[in-house]
Amino acid sequence: QQQVKQSPQSLIVQKGGISIINCAYENTAFDYFPWYQQFPGKGPALLIAIRPDVSEKKEGRFTISFNKSAKQFSLHIMDSQPGDSATYFCAAPKGIKAAGNKLTFGGGTRVLVKP
Amino acid sequence: GAGVSQSPSNKVTEKGKDVELRCDPISGHTALYWYRQSLGQGLEFLIYFQGNSAPDKSGLPSDRFSAERTGGSVSTLTIQRTQQEDSAVYLCASSSHREGVAFFGQGTRLTVV
């Protein structure tokens, strides 16, 4: 069974700072690592995803870094804004490919950006 | 519809009653998940349907919980003899066979009184 360990559980950062969330997985044969963002009262929404043939992917202020040898991937939120305050979940597929395989989610990180 | 639709959005029920929660996935999506989320907590996996394969029921917390997916589309999660600890938001998600992205609905907030 795939396990995804996410840390920290919660994070407080000042506006303009960098938020960093880490995830570690167990199995090595995956091709897709998504991050989800969830606001209170809403369902999680896909934020950004990475495939392991690249070590980094950037979309605006959000960057995913992937370290295959360490079996870790992380989300960096640059220039954090109060609107980024949300819960973030990482995920990894159970099988070799993302398609057709169940996603396993990390425990979530509650991020609070103080103005 | 354009996204995953769940109904009802809110449900208040008395302890001991049965409830049914409905999920309409994105058209054409072969995979469907049910998750449970307690207030301020993470996503607790309940059940996973993928095409015509046998569902992965490994996350169902007790035999009071069951789910079915008719015609490979709409899914119903049934909780029998509800207990107060069943109070949570129940989230449904679907994904395409070709991609790994899961799209979530807004959830059904269940309150057992």
Side-chain angles (χ1 to χ4, degrees):
Chain A
Q1 188 79 347
Q2 167 68 298
Q3 295 288 331
V4 179
K5 296 182 180 179
Q6 184 172 345
S7 62
Q9 288 186 325
S10 63
L11 180 61
I12 299 175
V13 63
Q14 291 294 130
K15 179 182 176 182
I18 302 174
S19 303
I20 302 175
I21 306 170
N22 299 299
C23 279
Y25 60 95
E26 293 184 344
N27 295 324
T28 57
F30 303 104
D31 69 347
Y32 182 76
F33 295 91
W35 284 89
Y36 286 79
Q37 180 187 54
Q38 184 181 29
F39 294 107
K42 303 291 186 182
L46 180 68
L47 179 65
I48 185 173
I50 193 169
R51 297 191 182 274
D53 54 348
V54 296
S55 60
E56 186 175 284
K57 180 176 181 179
K58 183 176 181 179
E59 289 185 0
R61 296 183 293 106
F62 299 90
T63 300
I64 300 179
S65 298
F66 180 71
N67 186 332
K68 189 171 183 178
S69 61
K71 299 182 185 179
Q72 293 179 345
F73 55 110
S74 60
L75 176 69
H76 290 62
I77 307 174
M78 312 300 286
D79 186 26
S80 297
Q81 300 297 311
D84 298 331
S85 297
T87 300
Y88 294 82
F89 295 95
C90 62
K94 179 180 178 181
I96 295 175
K97 295 183 178 181
N101 283 286
K102 185 183 78 178
L103 280 176
T104 298
F105 286 84
T109 297
R110 183 177 294 184
V111 174
L112 176 62
V113 181
K114 289 193 169 183
Chain B
V4 178
S5 178
Q6 292 187 245
S7 60
S9 54
N10 282 283
K11 177 72 175 179
V12 180
T13 189
E14 292 181 351
K15 178 181 174 181
K17 299 285 189 181
D18 297 352
V19 294
E20 286 189 351
L21 311 180
R22 177 187 169 103
C23 173
D24 281 275
I26 293 173
S27 178
H29 279 192
T30 58
L32 187 147
Y33 307 75
W34 282 99
Y35 288 89
R36 180 168 68 175
Q37 188 173 36
S38 299
L39 186 63
Q41 301 301 307
L43 299 168
E44 178 187 2
F45 167 74
L46 296 178
I47 189 168
Y48 170 69
F49 296 90
Q50 174 57 269
N52 295 321
S53 302
D56 178 352
K57 304 180 182 180
S58 60
L60 295 178
S62 77
D63 58 8
R64 296 187 296 106
F65 288 73
S66 63
E68 62 178 19
R69 188 176 185 193
T70 55
S73 181
V74 172
S75 178
T76 302
L77 176 69
T78 301
I79 308 174
Q80 296 178 311
R81 305 181 302 281
T82 52
Q83 304 296 311
Q84 288 186 329
E85 59 263 29
D86 299 335
S87 296
V89 174
Y90 289 82
L91 290 160
C92 175
S94 71
S95 68
S96 163
H97 180 69
R98 292 192 217 172
E99 302 175 356
V101 179
F103 295 88
F104 282 82
Q106 295 299 296
T108 294
R109 181 176 298 277
L110 176 66
T111 304
V112 182
V113 298

